[in-house]
Amino acid sequence: MRLFVFGFVLFFAFIAGSQFSVGQLETGWKAHDLNRSQPVVVKPAEKIGNAPSDAIVLFDGTDMSKWRSRNGGAAKWKIVENAMESVRNGGYVFSRQEFGDCQVHLEFASPKNVKGNGQGRGNSGVFLMGEFEIQVLDSFDNQTYADGSAGSVYGQYPPLVNASRGPGQWQTYDIVFRRPRFDGDGKLIKRARLTVLHNGVLVQDASLAFGPTNWIQHHSYAGLKNKTKGPLGLQDHGNPVRYRNIWVRPLVEVRPQPEKPYDAQRIELDQAVAKRLVGRYGGHRVEWKNENLVFNFNGNTPMVMVPHSETEFGFTKSAGNIKFDLNEDGIPTGIELNLDAAGKRKAIRK
Ligand code: MG
């Protein structure tokens, strides 16, 4: 039993250790690098839910010029009371513009006059990249298979909760979509990821699609090959579902990386030279651990040091640096710390 527990402890230490070693650098950046570009300024709407300044408005209640039918011709839905309404046998409608990674906002209302049951009541759907359906259904007091109710990734993930409003009431979807990734040979390396808020309530939490959605059985990613974008699609399922206030924000797909590789200045430091820097500096502490110098900021944030010279060091996970002052005998007398934009801090050796 004791050995078993010990095994578990080792296992978790390994897991914790491996995460620790990846840490911040998964983003490609060390913490607080001032070379990192500033976030682009976006002016939010006066009313949350309306389009922010960088959104592409696909439907504002007036015209359907940004939409087409499947064959590319004019969309065959109709505009009723500033909403676009699905027309039976009118077919799906697709945005003329195509998107990969994106944020989508739209509002929908199932018919006020309740007709049908299960999948037959207020059925429509929002298709990301034209392939991945977030189900639209009147799921208010209307049971069906869970993975086909409102807010589901159709046939794959039921919504986390049923946040539906009643028939005829306007409801919102806010969707964050990350498209699937393929390598150069068209082999899938990342599944599509869908996050959805239904009426402000989280119903899909980064759900990874098994493939393009479909009735009975989902499709395979193989059919998408290297597809990187597709239209936003809205389903005609024979029920007069209405949509309004539809906007999309394409998302940055590849984040900028540091121009120069970190630690190009790294040198090999003689252990004896390194170890003479061990000691207390104000409230901080430098120690030798696992073949590295480690700087303990305020004694409790261990930062592995990267030697750039005998007296200057960077850190493995922070863009900051530390410089040691030595006296004539080569004994350290203090440090100068540079940890963020707040300026340099000094500490005297104790
Ligand atoms: Mg549907």
Side-chain angles (χ1 to χ4, degrees):
M1 177 64 188
R2 202 174 270 180
L3 196 65
F4 178 76
V5 170
F6 181 67
F8 252 88
V9 169
L10 267 188
F11 174 73
F12 283 108
F14 171 75
I15 296 290
S18 57
Q19 280 177 354
F20 182 74
S21 64
V22 175
Q24 183 81 12
L25 293 186
E26 232 171 25
T27 65
W29 293 90
K30 293 185 180 184
H32 308 324
D33 190 328
L34 295 174
N35 294 314
R36 221 166 166 174
S37 51
Q38 293 292 312
V40 171
V41 174
V42 172
K43 192 169 180 288
E46 289 290 322
K47 182 172 165 260
I48 299 301
N50 288 345
S53 61
D54 66 342
I56 296 163
V57 176
L58 293 180
F59 183 69
D60 67 358
T62 56
D63 76 280
M64 290 192 60
S65 60
K66 302 225 168 103
W67 297 83
R68 60 170 173 84
S69 59
R70 192 179 286 282
N71 64 14
K76 290 184 183 139
W77 290 19
K78 58 183 182 185
I79 295 181
V80 184
E81 295 168 353
N82 296 321
M84 50 196 257
E85 184 178 292
S86 172
V87 173
R88 183 184 285 272
N89 298 324
Y92 287 39
V93 293
F94 297 94
S95 63
R96 293 190 180 275
Q97 189 167 347
E98 302 201 332
F99 307 96
D101 289 358
C102 60
Q103 174 187 353
V104 177
H105 173 92
L106 57 79
E107 296 167 20
F108 66 92
S110 52
K112 206 182 291 179
N113 300 323
V114 177
K115 270 190 198 163
N117 284 306
Q119 292 291 305
R121 186 187 296 180
N123 195 336
S124 181
V126 180
F127 284 73
L128 284 303
M129 242 173 94
E131 302 281 356
F132 301 91
E133 181 183 12
I134 299 296
Q135 174 71 310
V136 169
L137 194 76
D138 178 359
S139 282
F140 188 84
D141 200 15
N142 175 35
Q143 279 203 4
T144 180
Y145 39 88
D147 62 11
S149 55
S152 62
V153 174
Y154 183 76
Q156 302 185 25
Y157 294 93
L160 297 172
V161 293
N162 181 349
S164 295
R165 288 198 170 123
Q169 291 192 53
W170 283 104
Q171 312 193 49
T172 61
Y173 274 166
D174 287 281
I175 303 168
V176 179
F177 176 71
R178 292 289 179 180
R179 65 175 178 85
R181 260 54 176 186
F182 303 91
D183 68 11
D185 301 324
K187 186 170 160 268
L188 181 75
I189 47 176
K190 259 189 193 174
R191 294 191 273 166
R193 195 178 78 192
L194 298 107
T195 301
V196 182
L197 292 109
H198 181 187
N199 296 324
V201 178
L202 185 70
V203 293
Q204 295 293 337
D205 182 11
S207 301
L208 297 170
F210 300 110
T213 54
N214 193 28
W215 181 50
I216 302 180
Q217 181 176 304
H218 64 80
H219 292 303
S220 153
Y221 276 108
L224 296 189
K225 295 200 174 75
N226 286 314
K227 197 168 173 183
T228 57
K229 56 185 181 174
L232 189 71
L234 299 175
Q235 186 181 48
D236 161 29
H237 205 282
N239 304 138
V241 175
R242 293 179 181 184
Y243 290 90
R244 71 178 187 190
N245 190 20
I246 308 175
W247 50 263
V248 179
R249 295 182 59 245
L251 299 175
V252 171
E253 297 209 338
V254 182
R255 294 215 187 195
Q257 295 292 303
E259 273 176 36
K260 281 185 251 164
Y262 284 122
D263 303 329
Q265 303 152 274
R266 179 194 277 271
I267 60 161
E268 285 304 317
L269 196 56
D270 182 75
Q271 272 201 26
V273 174
K275 282 180 178 169
R276 71 186 174 170
L277 303 174
V278 167
R280 288 190 166 274
Y281 297 84
H284 318 299
R285 198 175 72 247
V286 173
E287 62 182 346
W288 180 259
K289 204 174 177 183
N290 302 330
E291 305 296 302
N292 282 303
L293 281 172
V294 177
F295 178 69
N296 292 278
F297 181 79
N298 281 343
N300 57 21
T301 304
M303 301 163 75
V304 175
M305 295 161 61
V306 180
H308 294 165
S309 75
E310 288 190 2
T311 54
E312 289 167 305
F313 298 78
F315 301 105
T316 54
K317 294 183 179 117
S318 172
N321 53 63
I322 179 171
K323 195 172 156 215
F324 291 80
D325 297 324
L326 305 183
N327 67 14
E328 291 154 6
D329 302 323
I331 310 284
T333 56
I335 51 169
E336 186 178 286
L337 270 177
N338 197 355
L339 293 179
D340 54 22
K344 293 187 166 71
R345 281 165 259 196
K346 287 178 184 258
I348 305 297
R349 188 175 196 201
K350 281 183 178 167

